Amino acid sequence: MKRTVFRRVTAAALACMAAVLGCIADGGAALRSNAALDPIDEPSKEYAEAVVALVNAARLKEGLPQLPILPILLNASDIRAEELAVNYSHYRPDGSIPDTVLLNEGFFFAYIGENNGKGSTTPAHIAEAWLNSTKHRNTIMNENKQTEYTHIGVGYHYDEAAKMHYWNMLLIANYEFGTHQIYDDQYLPKVDHADPDGSMTINARDASLILEYSAAEAAGVEYPVIYSFEDAADVNSDGSIDSIDASIILCYTAAKGAGEDAALEDFIW
């Protein structure tokens, strides 16, 4: 039996429901939010996974495969992010090229690409900055290169003295006998429940993606999604991804935006 957990409906939620119904009637117009996380205090694998989820979604839209995370690349990117506080460039503080952060550990590869960034306070902000920059986007999409990237890592460092956030992305191409090298510890990041875009923030963009997915499915159009999107998007766990899931998110975010002590479960019916 489907669970019913609709504890309270606030004024903000009611207004939200009306907006949702209007949006659906209008053909599911895209909804956007500029909501951001609180400033990041320390490096975390979670932030790296959020950036990779957002980047992989952009790659899928370009017909490119998702890139799995490789733990050694996470470690290397964390080192490079910390080094950027000393020397913000594609050269390491000792003057060597970024490749050495992996080569010195005995890890070899066919090709490597790097993106650097600073100032962005959240995974969503840095992903957007890189994807909106032609140079950085070309690195992510591997433009003008014959060798396709196979793995990715992202690192983060906050420099307390300078009050500055530093980010690094390493992408490698590695092949074995002409096919992508597969490592035992590689993985695709799993996005959280009700956060299908993987940004670590439940917001209107998540609702928009759900509406887009639902519309594409109804029209029989393929809609590529990142790993675990379907589980995250089925907010009420009824086995279907539809406008109800989107409305739950919108009602929840409206209540939170109104300063209410709301929980997602309060709006699941």
Side-chain angles (χ1 to χ4, degrees), residues 12 18 29 76 139 177 239 249 265:
T139 299
F177 306 114
I249 290 177
E265 290 77 11

PDB file of all heavy atoms in Angstrom, residues 12 18 29 76 139 177 239 249 265:
ATOM      1  N   ALA A  12       2.630  28.687   2.251  1.00  0.00           N
ATOM      2  CA  ALA A  12       3.648  28.660   1.188  1.00  0.00           C
ATOM      3  C   ALA A  12       3.466  27.442   0.303  1.00  0.00           C
ATOM      4  O   ALA A  12       3.605  27.496  -0.918  1.00  0.00           O
ATOM      5  CB  ALA A  12       5.042  28.662   1.806  1.00  0.00           C
ATOM      6  N   ALA A  18      -0.352  25.679  -6.414  1.00  0.00           N
ATOM      7  CA  ALA A  18      -1.006  26.418  -7.491  1.00  0.00           C
ATOM      8  C   ALA A  18      -0.017  26.721  -8.600  1.00  0.00           C
ATOM      9  O   ALA A  18      -0.337  26.614  -9.784  1.00  0.00           O
ATOM     10  CB  ALA A  18      -1.597  27.717  -6.937  1.00  0.00           C
ATOM     11  N   ALA A  29       6.995  24.288 -18.154  1.00  0.00           N
ATOM     12  CA  ALA A  29       8.061  25.263 -18.391  1.00  0.00           C
ATOM     13  C   ALA A  29       9.194  25.046 -17.411  1.00  0.00           C
ATOM     14  O   ALA A  29       8.987  24.676 -16.268  1.00  0.00           O
ATOM     15  CB  ALA A  29       7.496  26.681 -18.224  1.00  0.00           C
ATOM     16  N   ALA A  76      44.772  13.154  -6.082  1.00  0.00           N
ATOM     17  CA  ALA A  76      45.659  14.020  -6.865  1.00  0.00           C
ATOM     18  C   ALA A  76      45.049  15.404  -7.046  1.00  0.00           C
ATOM     19  O   ALA A  76      45.749  16.424  -6.965  1.00  0.00           O
ATOM     20  CB  ALA A  76      45.950  13.381  -8.223  1.00  0.00           C
ATOM     21  N   THR A 139      37.638  21.409 -22.346  1.00  0.00           N
ATOM     22  CA  THR A 139      38.403  20.373 -21.646  1.00  0.00           C
ATOM     23  C   THR A 139      37.479  19.267 -21.161  1.00  0.00           C
ATOM     24  O   THR A 139      37.750  18.079 -21.340  1.00  0.00           O
ATOM     25  CB  THR A 139      39.163  20.979 -20.450  1.00  0.00           C
ATOM     26  OG1 THR A 139      40.069  21.971 -20.912  1.00  0.00           O
ATOM     27  CG2 THR A 139      39.942  19.908 -19.696  1.00  0.00           C
ATOM     28  N   PHE A 177      44.673  -2.336 -24.495  1.00  0.00           N
ATOM     29  CA  PHE A 177      44.364  -3.082 -25.715  1.00  0.00           C
ATOM     30  C   PHE A 177      43.234  -2.426 -26.509  1.00  0.00           C
ATOM     31  O   PHE A 177      42.339  -3.085 -27.033  1.00  0.00           O
ATOM     32  CB  PHE A 177      44.003  -4.536 -25.376  1.00  0.00           C
ATOM     33  CG  PHE A 177      45.032  -5.241 -24.562  1.00  0.00           C
ATOM     34  CD1 PHE A 177      44.759  -5.652 -23.267  1.00  0.00           C
ATOM     35  CD2 PHE A 177      46.304  -5.478 -25.073  1.00  0.00           C
ATOM     36  CE1 PHE A 177      45.711  -6.302 -22.508  1.00  0.00           C
ATOM     37  CE2 PHE A 177      47.269  -6.121 -24.319  1.00  0.00           C
ATOM     38  CZ  PHE A 177      46.976  -6.537 -23.038  1.00  0.00           C
ATOM     39  N   GLY A 239       7.109   4.419  -7.712  1.00  0.00           N
ATOM     40  CA  GLY A 239       7.488   3.708  -8.925  1.00  0.00           C
ATOM     41  C   GLY A 239       7.294   4.506 -10.191  1.00  0.00           C
ATOM     42  O   GLY A 239       7.493   3.984 -11.285  1.00  0.00           O
ATOM     43  N   ILE A 249       8.731  18.576  -4.378  1.00  0.00           N
ATOM     44  CA  ILE A 249       9.965  19.354  -4.231  1.00  0.00           C
ATOM     45  C   ILE A 249       9.664  20.846  -4.185  1.00  0.00           C
ATOM     46  O   ILE A 249      10.210  21.581  -3.355  1.00  0.00           O
ATOM     47  CB  ILE A 249      10.933  19.029  -5.387  1.00  0.00           C
ATOM     48  CG1 ILE A 249      11.480  17.611  -5.224  1.00  0.00           C
ATOM     49  CG2 ILE A 249      12.072  20.044  -5.444  1.00  0.00           C
ATOM     50  CD1 ILE A 249      12.381  17.167  -6.352  1.00  0.00           C
ATOM     51  N   GLU A 265       9.354  15.069   3.936  1.00  0.00           N
ATOM     52  CA  GLU A 265       8.290  14.101   4.175  1.00  0.00           C
ATOM     53  C   GLU A 265       6.941  14.768   4.470  1.00  0.00           C
ATOM     54  O   GLU A 265       5.887  14.151   4.312  1.00  0.00           O
ATOM     55  CB  GLU A 265       8.662  13.194   5.361  1.00  0.00           C
ATOM     56  CG  GLU A 265       9.796  12.232   5.071  1.00  0.00           C
ATOM     57  CD  GLU A 265      11.167  12.898   5.093  1.00  0.00           C
ATOM     58  OE1 GLU A 265      11.257  14.074   5.541  1.00  0.00           O
ATOM     59  OE2 GLU A 265      12.133  12.258   4.647  1.00  0.00           O
TER      60      GLU A 265
END
